[in-house]
Amino acid sequence: MRISEEMVKHIQAIIKKTGYIPNRAAASLRTGRTHVIGLIVEDIANAFFASLAKSVESVAAKVGYRVVYGSTENDDGKGNDLIQLLAKQVDGFLITPSTGMKAGVQALKKTRKPLVLIDRYFPDEEIPFALVDNYGGVSQATEYLIEKNKKNIAFVNVALDQVQMNERERAFVDVMSRRGLFHKKLLLRLPYYQDKTQYEPRIRSFLQKQPGIDAIIFATNYLGMFGIKALKDLDIAIPGKVAVLSFDDTDLFRFSSPAISVISQPVQEIAAQAMRLLLDQMNAGPKKKAADEGVLVPPQLILRNSV
Amino acid sequence: MRISEEMVKHIQAIIKKTGYIPNRAAASLRTGRTHVIGLIVEDIANAFFASLAKSVESVAAKVGYRVVYGSTENDDGKGNDLIQLLAKQVDGFLITPSTGMKAGVQALKKTRKPLVLIDRYFPDEEIPFALVDNYGGVSQATEYLIEKNKKNIAFVNVALDQVQMNERERAFVDVMSRRGLFHKKLLLRLPYYQDKTQYEPRIRSFLQKQPGIDAIIFATNYLGMFGIKALKDLDIAIPGKVAVLSFDDTDLFRFSSPAISVISQPVQEIAAQAMRLLLDQMNAGPKKKAADEGVLVPPQLILRNSV
DNA sequence: CTGAAAGCGCTTACAG
DNA sequence: CTGAAAGCGCTTACAG
């Protein structure tokens, strides 16, 4: 301590009296660091991403970082704009990329800006990522339904061609095929709609065409949400006639009657791992290179009354 | 046009080739403007605030502004910290203040930083605000239940001493008293819990103590959510035994069986009005003072199967 | 009309 | 050790 306690007090009194607040824009201009992390998610209004954002925020706050968000809504243009917009204003990125953001993400990586992908990744790119074990989660759920003696299990997916959705479907197809239960007609792939209400009629007509279904796995929370609505509209008893399981846990599934069984993502853990990988990069000096590591976090199968 | 089209093309090609991105920190340092708006809400994970944030974001984008969020969780310290943190980095604030943020908000006003309160306000302060007509909404809902011949209508509120909650309760008490139906024991005021699951047992024991209740109005979405859970746990039929109405519309209320009737806030309109008031202030020159206006937006009573 | 220079508010390497 | 000066990347008032 080279400065006397007295002086410290004196200065702090002045700071308080004059209401001095340092200008971060100036500090950032000088140091090149902003102490802000950019979090780009698919849709901040979706329960999964909202809770992911909250977790990231709390982990980041502990190490002195703030977080700014943006939603891509799976629109490549919007996503790439967000990268552009935030690039100079954040010390690092946490990104949920849509398929078409690959070029943007590659370009970002070339600039050596710290970057971690979450929820999904590019299998052929060496970019660190943190996400749930999608394949494992759906495998376990499918096995469970088969053990419960279900024969005609349907899988409802969204045709985004993103790795996490592909893995969920691949797990379903693999397990079902292994047991000789796979039929193509039990696989429903719907387009990605901004307006999620459009899923309800689509799922309803699928259910009407496939009356033999005795269980359904929904690949996302919004598919599950509107799928349940479709089932109720058609007066199909859950789980009496059809057992139901969905990816992602939300209030709606917990509060639904019957409560819906889910493959739950450990959001806290995903956020913590992603931040760890990001901090690794941000703190890595020019010599020691941060590891191009990918982390797969195990999901949790939560059984409720819908199966 | 003083610059030839050719030159414009040439420069833009170079911009693209070199990947030039202007440094906003530098621009902001020079101009004093950031083109960012700070949105401080109660809890970004709450469906109401998430949808409000989304609306604000879309209105702001149209006029060239970005939005950064923060959640207070009704913690005065956290709220005031957010103001401090963002003060120099935003051109204006949209704030959902907790009671203890009054001093912080007053101080902010003195700095002449553009500022609009949303969702709630300080009745004795001249700060522009945009929110729903809470009194009108609950009045209408209460009248409706009385017309439906309900005699023992309960009101479940959270004891936050914030103007919007007070107005909701005041409307209920006024209407019930006018009809000679008000009983103090039908009014439940619960503390504000971070962990919302705590509301369920509290509401459950209230219901057990007051078996004569034939209708309930929940003053917030989370009270409604856990209130419905409590009713179902106790096997109280909705609406057979007890009619249910909640403030705020959410997926959960729309998807619940029975679907829950709500006093819905026109989020788009609140966001649009708040942004209008904020832009007024941000564009007001030093001479013309922006109006210290307050806007009350009418809510919508959406009747579903729970009444 | 146009180009060079000043300055926003910080941080830090450097001269003394 | 300490204080003054340079410079981060922009924008804009100003000199020529």
Side-chain angles (χ1 to χ4, degrees):
Chain A
M1 271 306 193
R2 294 198 323 258
I3 296 147
S4 72
E5 207 177 307
E6 208 178 330
M7 183 53 90
V8 170
K9 263 190 195 156
H10 178 64
I11 298 294
Q12 274 172 346
I14 294 173
I15 287 174
K16 191 149 192 189
K17 198 169 64 190
T18 58
Y20 171 73
I21 299 170
N23 184 325
R24 284 163 184 268
S28 147
L29 187 58
R30 175 61 228 235
T31 63
R33 320 202 78 209
T34 61
H35 283 273
V36 174
I37 287 166
L39 173 63
I40 300 180
V41 296
E42 179 179 307
D43 176 10
I44 193 71
N46 178 315
F48 168 69
F49 292 108
S51 107
L52 185 65
K54 244 191 153 178
S55 297
V56 167
E57 210 176 28
S58 91
V59 180
K62 275 180 200 141
V63 287
Y65 282 87
R66 282 195 316 118
V67 179
V68 302
Y69 316 94
S71 300
T72 68
E73 319 211 353
N74 276 324
D75 176 326
D76 303 332
K78 234 186 138 185
N80 287 325
D81 284 355
L82 276 169
I83 291 180
Q84 289 278 322
L85 193 69
L86 296 176
K88 281 275 175 63
Q89 312 188 64
V90 301
D91 290 347
F93 275 104
L94 255 29
I95 300 182
T96 292
S98 58
T99 317
M101 284 171 74
K102 192 160 170 180
V105 165
Q106 281 170 323
L108 193 62
K109 203 205 165 186
K110 269 195 204 114
T111 68
R112 319 194 103 259
K113 176 73 76 177
L115 164 64
V116 173
L117 302 182
I118 42 173
D119 187 54
R120 56 198 76 161
Y121 66 104
F122 298 116
D124 46 352
E125 294 291 322
E126 292 212 328
I127 301 171
F129 57 83
L131 56 140
V132 79
D133 177 6
N134 290 289
Y135 190 92
V138 171
S139 295
Q140 198 191 340
T142 311
E143 301 273 15
Y144 178 85
L145 290 172
I146 293 173
E147 261 153 52
K148 276 269 189 176
N149 226 14
K150 303 296 176 187
K151 306 289 185 202
N152 293 295
I153 307 173
F155 189 83
V156 179
N157 201 359
V158 55
L160 277 168
D161 194 29
Q162 292 169 350
V163 67
Q164 83 286 13
M165 304 318 299
N166 293 347
E167 286 293 279
R168 292 174 198 180
E169 183 174 311
R170 194 168 65 84
F172 171 77
V173 173
D174 282 0
V175 172
M176 292 291 280
S177 301
R178 206 180 304 138
R179 307 296 190 108
L181 294 170
F182 180 69
H183 297 291
K184 226 174 182 173
K185 62 179 186 185
L186 294 178
L187 193 55
L188 177 64
R189 279 199 207 103
L190 296 171
Y192 180 82
Y193 296 124
Q194 287 277 86
D195 170 17
K196 303 292 187 281
T197 60
Q198 297 193 53
Y199 288 110
E200 193 190 331
R202 300 294 302 260
I203 296 172
R204 202 188 307 132
S205 72
F206 171 69
L207 290 167
Q208 285 169 319
K209 269 182 223 136
Q210 304 295 339
I213 291 171
D214 55 12
I216 308 185
I217 299 173
F218 293 103
T220 75
N221 56 7
Y222 52 84
L223 292 171
M225 193 162 118
F226 286 94
I228 292 159
K229 189 109 202 298
L231 285 158
K232 287 187 176 175
D233 283 357
L234 295 172
D235 266 322
I236 297 174
I238 308 171
K241 174 84 175 72
V242 174
V244 170
L245 236 153
S246 180
F247 219 94
D248 288 334
D249 202 7
T250 70
D251 281 338
L252 199 134
F253 293 144
R254 279 186 288 273
F255 282 79
S256 190
S257 324
I260 305 299
S261 302
V262 295
I263 301 157
S264 169
Q265 300 200 43
V267 173
Q268 287 279 0
E269 179 66 10
I270 294 171
Q273 292 287 351
M275 273 301 295
R276 183 179 63 74
L277 292 170
L278 194 62
L279 286 169
D280 271 5
Q281 289 180 59
M282 297 198 299
N283 299 332
K287 42 184 81 169
K288 46 179 173 178
K289 205 182 137 205
D292 289 338
E293 205 183 332
V295 178
L296 241 47
V297 178
Q300 200 192 341
L301 185 63
I302 299 178
L303 297 171
R304 302 198 177 106
N305 303 327
S306 70
V307 291
Chain B
M1 273 306 194
R2 294 198 322 259
I3 297 147
S4 71
E5 207 176 308
E6 207 179 329
M7 182 54 89
V8 169
K9 263 191 195 153
H10 178 64
I11 297 293
Q12 274 171 347
I14 294 173
I15 286 173
K16 191 149 191 188
K17 197 170 64 192
T18 59
Y20 170 74
I21 300 172
N23 183 326
R24 283 163 185 270
S28 148
L29 186 58
R30 173 64 228 235
T31 62
R33 320 203 76 210
T34 62
H35 282 274
V36 174
I37 287 166
L39 173 63
I40 300 181
V41 296
E42 180 178 306
D43 176 10
I44 193 71
N46 178 315
F48 168 69
F49 292 108
S51 106
L52 184 65
K54 243 191 153 180
S55 296
V56 167
E57 210 176 28
S58 93
V59 181
K62 275 179 200 142
V63 287
Y65 282 87
R66 283 197 314 120
V67 179
V68 301
Y69 315 93
S71 300
T72 67
E73 320 213 353
N74 275 323
D75 176 326
D76 303 333
K78 235 186 138 187
N80 287 324
D81 284 354
L82 275 169
I83 292 180
Q84 289 278 320
L85 191 70
L86 296 176
K88 281 275 174 63
Q89 313 188 64
V90 301
D91 290 346
F93 275 105
L94 255 28
I95 300 182
T96 292
S98 58
T99 319
M101 285 172 73
K102 193 163 169 177
V105 166
Q106 282 171 325
L108 193 62
K109 202 205 165 185
K110 267 193 205 116
T111 68
R112 318 194 101 259
K113 175 73 77 177
L115 164 66
V116 173
L117 303 182
I118 42 172
D119 186 55
R120 56 198 75 164
Y121 66 103
F122 298 116
D124 46 353
E125 294 291 323
E126 293 212 330
I127 301 171
F129 57 83
L131 55 141
V132 77
D133 177 6
N134 290 288
Y135 190 92
V138 172
S139 296
Q140 199 191 341
T142 311
E143 301 272 16
Y144 179 84
L145 291 173
I146 292 173
E147 261 154 52
K148 276 268 188 178
N149 226 13
K150 302 297 175 186
K151 304 291 185 201
N152 292 295
I153 308 173
F155 189 83
V156 179
N157 200 0
V158 55
L160 276 170
D161 195 30
Q162 291 170 350
V163 67
Q164 83 286 16
M165 304 318 299
N166 293 346
E167 287 292 280
R168 292 174 198 180
E169 183 174 311
R170 193 167 67 84
F172 171 76
V173 173
D174 282 0
V175 172
M176 292 292 279
S177 302
R178 208 181 302 139
R179 307 295 189 109
L181 293 171
F182 181 67
H183 298 291
K184 226 175 183 169
K185 61 177 186 185
L186 294 179
L187 193 54
L188 177 64
R189 280 200 206 101
L190 296 172
Y192 181 81
Y193 297 123
Q194 287 276 87
D195 171 16
K196 302 292 188 285
T197 60
Q198 297 194 52
Y199 288 110
E200 192 189 333
R202 299 294 301 261
I203 296 172
R204 202 188 307 130
S205 72
F206 171 70
L207 291 166
Q208 286 169 318
K209 270 183 220 134
Q210 305 295 340
I213 291 171
D214 56 11
I216 308 186
I217 298 173
F218 294 103
T220 76
N221 56 6
Y222 51 85
L223 291 171
M225 192 162 117
F226 286 95
I228 292 159
K229 190 112 202 295
L231 284 158
K232 287 188 176 174
D233 284 355
L234 295 171
D235 266 323
I236 297 174
I238 306 171
K241 174 84 176 73
V242 173
V244 170
L245 235 153
S246 180
F247 219 93
D248 288 336
D249 201 9
T250 69
D251 281 338
L252 199 134
F253 294 145
R254 281 187 285 270
F255 282 79
S256 191
S257 328
I260 305 299
S261 301
V262 294
I263 302 157
S264 170
Q265 300 200 42
V267 173
Q268 287 278 2
E269 179 65 11
I270 295 172
Q273 292 287 351
M275 274 302 294
R276 183 179 61 76
L277 293 169
L278 193 62
L279 286 169
D280 271 5
Q281 290 179 58
M282 297 197 300
N283 298 332
K287 41 184 83 171
K288 46 178 172 175
K289 205 180 134 206
D292 290 336
E293 206 182 328
V295 177
L296 242 47
V297 178
Q300 200 191 343
L301 186 62
I302 300 178
L303 297 171
R304 302 198 177 106
N305 304 327
S306 69
V307 290

